[in-house]
């Protein structure tokens, strides 16, 4: 390949304008791609995809649509959960040879709810550079459009498929003082909202669907209202569910019980109540009454008699 051929392959197009991508440094470049609307791609991402030596992608057909849109001719290779072990040596070999590799997912930011973090870990361990190229993210798009508190968030990814596992996970998340963000498949959204209503209670929530696409929608309301709305319905498209943090009173009760159960493992009720009262600011009598309730319910055993 001569110099003119190499230069032509580093071109990309925006509308009718042809641009030549600058050479980029060797390393693994984590490139965010659109989650629906192909115009949601950054100039830096286009330059990286055009200039890199190879693009590692989940599905060459999906990534090929994006590359064709912008006239990019970079070589592609597949890298996904099922062939990761087979493809990893090839990527590490390319990096060791001083080449640049771009990692993309089918949509959005790689590593967010996908196994790409293992590749990054291996690349870092081998001493190669990792360069994030930020861009579209369904999680962030859903958050900014939901109308829920955004100062503290917890991205919880996909919940377990089965009801028992899903409820158990929601119990673990129940007391966290943050807006919860979930990804969900269309055929499970109704069941998940029903379980959220049961476990998380009366909270405001939003269901974001088809983000950045033509039929983008936000359905907002309480968990109970959203559960009713999506009951028996199987909406099309990708789903992001966002749930507001617990109310302050609800959070205090959850935290207090957790502290009491821990204290009651190795101290009498009165001592545990005094300790937790001091830690939470809740009066000792209230804490003592709750400690006795937990003890009598069998949630905790008093190691010594008062």
């Amino acid at each position: 390949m001569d110099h003119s051929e190499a230069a032509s392959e580093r071109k990309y197009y925006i509308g009718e304008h042809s641009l030549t991508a600058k050479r980029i440094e060797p390393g693994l470049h984590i490139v965010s791609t659109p989650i629906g609307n192909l115009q949601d791609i950054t100039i830096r991402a286009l330059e990286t995809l055009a200039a890199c030596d190879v693009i590692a992608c989940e599905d060459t057909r999906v990534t090929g649509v994006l590359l064709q849109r912008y006239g990019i001719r970079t070589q592609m290779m597949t890298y996904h959960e099922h062939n990761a072990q087979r493809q990893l040596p090839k990527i590490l070999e390319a990096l060791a040879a001083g080449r640049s590799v771009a990692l993309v997912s089918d949509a959005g930011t790689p590593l967010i709810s996908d196994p790409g973090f293992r590749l990054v870990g291996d690349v870092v361990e081998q001493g190669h550079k990792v360069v994030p190229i930020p861009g579209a993210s369904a999680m962030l798009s859903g958050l900014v459009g939901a109308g829920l508190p955004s100062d503290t968030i917890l991205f919880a990814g996909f919940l377990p498929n089965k009801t028992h596992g899903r409820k158990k996970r929601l119990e673990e998340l129940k007391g966290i003082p943050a807006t919860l963000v979930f990804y969900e498949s269309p055929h499970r959204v109704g069941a998940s909202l029903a379980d959220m209503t049961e476990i998380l209670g009366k909270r405001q929530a939003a269901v974001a669907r088809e983000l950045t696409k033509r039929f983008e929608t936000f359905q907002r309301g309480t968990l109970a209202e959203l559960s009713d709305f999506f009951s028996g319905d199987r909406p099309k498209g990708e789903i992001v569910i966002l749930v507001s943090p617990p109310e302050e009173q609800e959070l205090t009760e959850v935290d207090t019980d957790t502290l009491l159960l821990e204290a009651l493992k190795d101290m009498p009720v009165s001592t545990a109540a005094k300790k937790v009262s001091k830690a939470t600011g809740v009066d000792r009598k209230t804490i003592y009454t709750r400690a006795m309730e937990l003890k009598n319910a069998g949630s905790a055993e008093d190691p010594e008699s008062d």
Side-chain angles (χ1 to χ4, degrees):
M1 180 183 298
D2 62 28
H3 179 74
S4 61
E5 289 176 323
S8 67
E9 289 193 357
R10 292 198 303 273
K11 287 188 175 296
Y12 63 99
Y13 295 81
I14 299 179
E16 298 179 354
H17 301 282
S18 173
L19 301 100
T20 299
K22 300 176 183 178
R23 291 187 178 276
I24 58 175
E25 60 187 325
L28 181 67
H29 299 254
I30 313 297
V31 182
S32 298
T33 57
I35 58 176
N37 190 322
L38 292 184
Q39 295 184 79
D40 293 334
I41 186 78
T42 68
I43 299 297
R44 187 181 177 199
L46 290 174
E47 287 192 331
T48 301
L49 293 175
C52 68
D53 294 305
V54 62
I55 299 171
C57 55
E58 290 183 78
D59 189 326
T60 57
R61 295 166 298 181
V62 174
T63 301
V65 172
L66 175 66
L67 300 188
Q68 183 177 18
R69 168 69 177 269
Y70 292 100
I72 297 172
R73 299 170 56 190
T74 305
Q75 175 187 353
M76 290 183 284
M77 65 177 289
T78 58
Y79 178 85
H80 47 71
E81 185 176 7
H82 304 295
N83 72 356
Q85 290 303 311
R86 185 171 71 253
Q87 297 293 70
L88 174 61
K90 299 177 184 178
I91 294 176
L92 294 178
E93 182 180 345
L95 295 174
R99 305 183 77 195
S100 55
V101 178
L103 175 69
V104 302
S105 61
D106 283 348
T109 301
L111 277 69
I112 304 300
S113 201
D114 80 31
F117 74 90
R118 299 190 186 96
L119 172 62
V120 173
D122 289 331
V123 169
V124 170
E125 186 177 337
Q126 293 295 317
H128 302 299
K129 188 163 188 177
V130 175
V131 183
I133 312 295
S137 164
M139 172 182 66
L140 294 177
S141 296
L143 181 68
V144 299
L148 299 175
S150 57
D151 54 334
T152 305
I153 66 170
L154 174 72
F155 175 62
F158 286 92
L159 287 167
N161 296 340
K162 303 294 184 180
T163 299
H164 176 74
R166 191 160 54 233
K167 288 183 177 181
K168 181 179 179 182
R169 178 59 175 151
L170 288 170
E171 286 285 0
E172 295 171 349
L173 299 172
K174 182 177 181 179
I176 295 176
T179 290
L180 304 177
V181 185
F182 303 92
Y183 286 168
E184 191 52 277
S185 62
H187 67 277
R188 284 197 301 268
V189 63
S192 290
L193 286 168
D195 290 340
M196 289 178 187
T197 302
E198 178 182 338
I199 304 300
L200 302 181
K202 298 178 181 179
R203 300 197 196 181
Q204 292 296 311
V207 175
R209 184 181 67 86
E210 291 287 81
L211 288 166
T212 78
K213 300 178 184 178
R214 180 181 178 185
F215 297 107
E216 173 184 283
T217 60
F218 280 88
Q219 195 72 27
R220 304 175 182 87
T222 65
L223 281 171
E225 291 169 342
L226 292 175
S227 179
D228 288 342
F229 183 85
F230 287 98
S231 177
D233 187 22
R234 293 192 175 186
K236 295 181 180 179
E238 301 299 322
I239 302 291
V240 182
I241 300 176
L242 305 101
V243 184
S244 66
E247 295 293 333
E248 185 175 347
Q249 181 180 1
E250 178 187 352
L251 179 61
T252 300
E253 292 172 354
V254 171
D255 287 350
T256 298
D257 282 2
T258 301
L259 292 171
L260 276 173
L261 288 170
E262 186 64 29
L264 288 168
K265 289 179 181 178
D266 54 14
M267 62 182 66
V269 174
S270 59
T271 307
K274 182 178 179 180
K275 178 181 178 180
V276 174
S277 174
K278 184 176 180 180
T280 61
V282 180
D283 70 272
R284 186 178 174 183
K285 183 178 179 180
T286 300
I287 294 294
Y288 184 87
T289 300
R290 181 56 180 157
M292 290 300 298
E293 290 174 353
L294 291 173
K295 178 187 173 185
N296 293 333
S299 299
E301 294 183 3
D302 189 6
E304 300 176 24
S305 174
D306 278 313

